[in-house]
Amino acid sequence: MRIAIDTGGTFTDCVFVRDGKLQILKVPSQPSMPEEAISSAVRQARKQFPPARIFTDDVGLDLICGTTVGTNALLERRGGRVALVTTAGFEDVLEIGRQARPKLYDFFVDKPEPLVPSRDRIGAKERLAWDGTVVEPLSKREVDRVLRRVRQSAPEAVAICFLFSFRNPNHEKKIAESLRHAGYLVSVSHEILPEFREYERTSTTVINAYLARTMSGYLRGIHNRARTAWYSGPRPKTASTQLRVHVMQSNGGIISAEKAAQAPVTTILSGPAGGVTGAAHAAQLAGLDKVITFDMGGTSTDVALLSSELRTTCESIAAGFPVAVPMLEIHTVGAGGGSIARFDRGGALRVGPQSAGATPGPICYGRGEEPTVTDAHAALGHFGQSGLLGGSFALDVARARRMMDKARGAFRSVEEFAEGILAVASAVMEKAIRVISVERGHDPRDYTLVAFGGAGGLHACALASALEMQGVLLPLFPGALSALGILRADVVREFSRTVLLAIPNANHPSAELSQLFRSLETDGNRTLRHEGFPPSKMRIERRLDMRYTGQAYELSVPAGGDFVNAFHRAHEQRYGYHDAKRPVEIVNLRVRATGITDKPRVAKIAKAVKSGKAHTAASLDCVLDGRRQTAALIDREQLRNGDSFAAPAVISEYSATTLVPAGWRAQVDAYGQILLTKSEKSRPHARKN
């Protein structure tokens, strides 16, 4: 049995297959103890299966989790105490950084305090040259001295990062062996990130050590609670109690819980990455190759741009610190359904990044006291009187209206206040989409918006209209698409190496380059075999990080074919120019090793019987586009292949609600996905080629 769970700020989503059909569950999140919400979801999923279906000799549970534990521990500074062992004289790399100012003209910006204070940074007397040759050996006496200093610091984990260890890791290995033998949790840079750039490598290794204790405890809690929830109750004495736990990574693949405990830095964007992989599959089913994903949950909104493939980056920032492991290119803003609306000192309306979360939640959930985006939708009648989760989660709309009336400030009515909240939230999300499209050389008018998350459908049409996009795609289970993406994810391991090679031939890698790739591929194949994948289920991809000689940063391109011209094209798109006569160098080699998992199939739905016009369940009196109007209430479960309907409409389903303003039209495809498009006459202007 495979169950995927995505832990969000407000709800924890669960997706599994029963009798060949995908099923979803949503339970309230418990931020103080996220593993308890996972246990609750597993317990509810178990009730969907008769005991005879679960407890057989050869059936266990494969639990795949997306988590925000690492992200939250980093943001809230709740990680473990870390000691940093580095080359003597370089103890302050974390504080010096790149000497770059976050805001060029702001003299009062506060940089985040380093995760390792100066008293816990230990310099070891050793030195390597740029090519890995030993300048100053690391003696046994020095290893013993470092061990004594670490004991004095009494850390929960130790990070080791020496100069040029990506060329020669022997000194790091000596220190790591001594510390591990002494019982310390150790993160070593040549194991985490064997690449150049001292600051980024040190920062990434320190973050890994900082999260190690927290992630290990969390994963143990998941394993124990999930085992109890799934295997409790009567069962045959010989029944299997096999439980495997996997964790979603930031790169769009999964790894075992054991590997995640060793490399927690790879899980910082765990949940959002599941949403992107799920959206990529939805776009594939719809035949779309250019999409922008829009994942609006209870706490934040995540956006990403996809053009036929998942896009990764090694230049991410988390909580103000650089993280150089591969991550999907996801941009996050603090605007979600639970984002709190407030007035600043100048009287301007602000929305987020503070969130009501699951506790106390929005006002309409019954306990919150500050107006949120969800309360604004409730006050405007967008949820009707049925509540959420198919009516099982009741909303107190009257309470929301009363408290919003007290907090509306200079706004003349609750409706005007609510519309102001939605306008501000939409502006924040529109800016986020521009960051990952316009600012990176992509025209959003060429793309379709894939809207998901519990609140994604409430804002999708407004955003697509403002950006003049092709349309909006509503995938299956939009409120749990991240969990579905996690369920479909493959096992992925990334391997890299800094080489700094000039290209002797414009179209063919040198023999040295091929040999280096083979070394990384051997590591990838060995790892996948250890995970139990046969050669037929393995896929190896090569990529190159390249730059013009003399540049400080590089772009990643596939290693096959004419990779030099591929780099020129990528440079043109990103920066607006390229120079075909300028020498090019290869900085890093990257190998992505993928173990292909068995994936649940999305079944086609029945065709519409007659005209294809969707059945209207009821009508809804609500405020859309600034005026009160009657909208058709569409029950998504009743839609059939080929059905269509015109706006205004509200699409209701278990995991989400979608607003379709006037001027839009909906069409249901063979898989039950809904494509929303705007009529030409309602567009602001026709695009000129």
Side-chain angles (χ1 to χ4, degrees), residues 260-276:
Q262 296 169 10
V265 71
T266 64
T267 68
I268 287 177
L269 288 181
S270 174
V276 173

Side-chain angles (χ1 to χ4, degrees), residues 49 79 116-117 415 631 634 689:
F49 298 93
V116 184
E415 286 76 13
I634 305 295
N689 293 324

Side-chain angles (χ1 to χ4, degrees), residues 217-292:
Y218 167 70
L219 292 173
R220 281 196 302 272
I222 286 179
H223 194 278
N224 294 336
R225 290 174 181 271
R227 178 184 294 276
T228 300
W230 188 255
Y231 291 108
S232 61
R235 63 181 187 272
K237 293 182 179 180
T238 58
S240 169
T241 56
Q242 178 186 357
L243 172 63
R244 296 186 302 174
V245 178
H246 285 82
V247 180
M248 189 71 181
Q249 300 178 94
S250 306
N251 62 8
I254 58 176
I255 52 173
S256 65
E258 293 76 16
K259 291 295 183 183
Q262 296 169 10
V265 71
T266 64
T267 68
I268 287 177
L269 288 181
S270 174
V276 173
T277 57
H281 177 62
Q284 183 182 27
L285 292 179
L288 301 172
D289 60 355
K290 285 189 173 185
V291 299
I292 292 175

Side-chain angles (χ1 to χ4, degrees), residues 22 49 61 126 191 247 475 484 512 539 558 564 575:
L22 287 168
F49 298 93
L61 173 63
E126 64 82 41
E191 297 174 355
V247 180
L484 179 56
E512 181 182 5
R539 184 173 69 241
V564 175
Y575 300 114

Side-chain angles (χ1 to χ4, degrees), residues 277-526:
T277 57
H281 177 62
Q284 183 182 27
L285 292 179
L288 301 172
D289 60 355
K290 285 189 173 185
V291 299
I292 292 175
T293 70
F294 171 55
D295 179 5
M296 184 178 179
T299 305
S300 62
T301 292
D302 306 303
V303 295
L305 183 142
L306 305 180
S307 295
S308 302
E309 64 176 359
L310 298 177
R311 306 166 66 89
T312 59
T313 180
C314 296
E315 299 176 16
S316 299
I317 300 292
F321 304 109
V323 181
V325 294
M327 297 185 179
L328 295 180
E329 286 193 28
I330 300 172
H331 183 61
T332 301
V333 291
S339 293
I340 295 171
R342 70 191 190 287
F343 295 96
D344 64 17
R345 287 183 295 178
L349 178 61
R350 305 286 185 182
V351 179
Q354 297 83 3
S355 174
T359 305
I363 298 172
C364 60
Y365 286 10
R367 290 183 294 176
E369 296 183 353
E370 297 179 280
T372 66
V373 172
T374 298
D375 294 313
H377 284 293
L380 295 174
H382 297 161
F383 301 126
Q385 301 299 320
S386 59
L388 305 177
L389 305 184
S392 63
F393 193 94
L395 297 180
D396 192 341
V397 178
R399 182 175 187 268
R401 289 185 61 87
R402 284 197 309 271
M403 299 192 75
M404 287 180 68
D405 189 41
K406 296 177 182 178
R408 60 185 170 86
F411 286 100
R412 292 174 296 182
S413 65
V414 170
E415 286 76 13
E416 189 178 87
F417 181 32
E419 288 192 295
I421 293 173
L422 300 186
V424 172
S426 291
V428 173
M429 294 181 286
E430 180 184 338
K431 182 180 179 181
I433 294 175
R434 290 185 183 277
V435 167
I436 55 100
S437 58
V438 178
E439 292 186 15
R440 298 179 185 175
H442 303 276
D443 191 338
R445 294 177 294 182
D446 297 330
Y447 290 78
T448 298
L449 192 68
V450 182
F452 55 102
L458 295 168
H459 295 258
C461 289
L463 290 172
S465 181
L467 294 163
E468 301 179 42
M469 299 179 71
Q470 295 286 315
V472 174
L473 178 67
L474 297 178
L476 290 177
F477 309 140
L481 189 70
S482 292
L484 179 56
I486 291 169
L487 186 67
R488 294 185 49 83
D490 295 316
V491 172
V492 175
R493 293 293 305 276
E494 306 271 1
F495 301 87
S496 63
R497 182 173 180 179
T498 294
V499 292
L500 296 173
L501 289 177
I503 300 177
N505 184 303
N507 295 313
H508 301 285
S510 64
E512 181 182 5
L513 185 63
S514 298
Q515 180 63 35
L516 291 172
F517 261 129
R518 281 196 291 272
S519 174
L520 294 177
E521 288 170 350
T522 298
D523 292 340
N525 286 323
R526 184 188 304 115

Side-chain angles (χ1 to χ4, degrees), residues 65-180:
C65 300
T67 176
T68 57
V69 167
T71 310
N72 293 339
L74 194 58
L75 290 171
E76 300 169 12
R77 305 299 289 260
R78 290 188 290 100
R81 181 174 179 177
V82 177
L84 170 63
V85 180
T86 187
T87 303
F90 290 82
E91 295 91 340
D92 294 329
V93 163
L94 287 178
E95 273 192 270
I96 297 171
R98 290 284 170 196
Q99 301 188 50
R101 287 157 55 182
K103 296 182 179 179
L104 187 59
Y105 300 108
D106 189 345
F107 294 102
F108 302 99
V109 171
D110 292 325
K111 292 176 62 176
E113 287 293 322
L115 296 176
V116 184
S118 59
R119 66 176 182 274
D120 294 329
R121 302 176 208 150
I122 304 165
K125 295 178 181 179
E126 64 82 41
R127 190 65 182 266
L128 301 176
W130 67 272
D131 59 354
T133 56
V134 178
V135 175
E136 181 177 1
L138 178 66
S139 66
K140 175 67 167 59
R141 182 177 179 180
E142 183 64 9
V143 172
D144 293 339
R145 186 190 70 84
V146 169
L147 180 56
R148 289 195 299 273
R149 282 288 313 278
V150 169
R151 283 173 175 160
Q152 291 171 6
S153 295
E156 296 178 84
V158 182
I160 304 173
C161 188
F162 289 156
L163 282 183
F164 304 113
S165 60
F166 59 89
R167 293 286 201 189
N168 179 356
N170 288 336
H171 286 182
E172 285 193 348
K173 288 180 178 179
K174 287 182 181 179
I175 292 286
E177 182 181 2
S178 175
L179 290 170
R180 284 169 174 161

